[in-house]
Structure formats: C-alpha cells, structure tokens
Amino acid sequence: MINSNDLVIVPADILDLKSMLAVEQASHQHPWSENMLAESLNGEHRCWVLKHKKQVIGHLIVLPVFDQVELLDIAVCPQQQGMGLGRLLMEHLIQFVKDNHIVSIFLEVRQSNKTAMKLYQNFDFEEIGVRKNYYPCKQGREDAVVMQFTL
C-alpha cells in the first residue's frame, strides 16, 4: 500500500531518465526508447515524474502547442497500477492545463486499452476519431482512439 504522503509529482530531469525508461519498458508493450525519452527531456515537451519515497514509479509527457496540449505518454509501474496513480498524474495534467490557460488536451490510446480509456473518460475526455492501424502490435497493427478534453 502506498501512503499518499510519500508521493510527489515533480518536473523530470536527465537524472530520472534511467528510472523513466524502466517504468516505460515495464508498462508498455511497445515502449519509448531511451533516446525518445531523453529527447523529450531536452525538447519542447513537458515531463513530470511521480515519485514514491524518491523512487520514480510513473511519468507523464506532454507537448504544449499554443492553447492545446497533446498527451504523448503516461506510465505507471505495473506493480503500482490500480492504486489511483494514473488518476494523480491526470489530475496534475488538468491542473497544468488550467494554470496555463490551455483549452484542450488531445491524446491517442490503443483501442484495446480499456483501462486507459476508462481513466480518460472519467476525466470527461470524449472520443473524436480513430486512427486506423496506428499502433504496432504482436499481430499487425491496432487502431488508435483519438480523444479530447476541453475546459
């Protein structure tokens, strides 16, 4: 059980890269590479890590563009999934959006990722389209559901 007093969400930096990569690899069937994560830390992206007692157990990567944000990556260690930590990361993102006068968030999610879709729907994201054959999967490709949150 994780005590919420031991959790903190802070901007990610290069020292978090290896831990972010470990979370990424454990959480996704087609994870971002170390290079992709490093580029996000050094680019126009905004990156945060969720830490429990100084250990990275999740992260969130977005790309702000004018008055919109694209949610590029969200991950929580599999051992800590189902404890509301994805919700904490999404609450952090919504607060960032409000604080920065951003009007909408866009994301793509694997059509098969019902857990993530339910999380987004709980934050009032709406399905606005489908990108056919967007994600690689074990047997071919999988559609992405495009979702939007609007303040």
Side-chain angles (χ1 to χ4, degrees):
M1 186 70 165
I2 292 182
N3 183 338
S4 61
N5 293 332
D6 296 329
L7 294 171
V8 62
I9 298 174
V10 295
D13 65 37
I14 198 68
L15 297 175
D16 297 315
L17 179 59
K18 294 291 186 194
S19 297
M20 289 175 69
L21 181 61
V23 170
E24 184 71 13
Q25 290 174 336
S27 302
H28 297 299
Q29 47 182 285
H30 292 280
W32 285 24
S33 68
E34 183 173 1
N35 189 49
M36 291 170 69
L37 290 169
E39 286 177 9
S40 289
L41 291 170
N42 295 317
E44 298 295 316
H45 300 118
R46 298 294 300 265
C47 308
W48 295 276
V49 288
L50 172 62
K51 293 185 177 186
H52 176 250
K53 296 184 178 178
K54 299 184 181 181
Q55 179 182 354
V56 174
I57 59 170
H59 61 261
L60 175 69
I61 301 172
V62 303
L63 177 61
V65 180
F66 301 111
D67 63 349
Q68 301 175 350
V69 163
E70 184 174 356
L71 173 56
L72 301 174
D73 191 23
I74 183 170
V76 173
C77 284
Q79 301 88 336
Q80 283 86 26
Q81 291 178 3
M83 298 181 183
L85 302 178
R87 173 171 276 288
L88 283 177
L89 288 166
M90 289 303 295
E91 288 170 354
H92 181 82
L93 175 57
I94 300 294
Q95 191 60 54
F96 170 79
V97 164
K98 290 177 180 177
D99 291 347
N100 289 278
H101 310 289
I102 295 169
V103 298
S104 59
I105 303 169
F106 292 90
L107 61 85
E108 293 101 13
V109 60
R110 286 179 181 275
Q111 192 171 35
S112 64
N113 193 344
K114 302 302 182 195
T115 301
M117 290 178 70
K118 183 176 178 180
L119 172 68
Y120 303 137
Q121 290 166 346
N122 286 339
F123 281 95
D124 296 326
F125 277 79
E126 296 179 354
E127 184 177 331
I128 60 168
V130 174
R131 291 194 173 145
K132 295 288 185 189
N133 301 315
Y134 186 76
Y135 288 110
C137 61
K138 290 179 182 174
Q139 297 176 337
R141 302 199 59 89
E142 179 178 0
D143 293 348
V145 175
V146 181
M147 301 183 85
Q148 179 182 16
F149 169 85
T150 305
L151 277 177

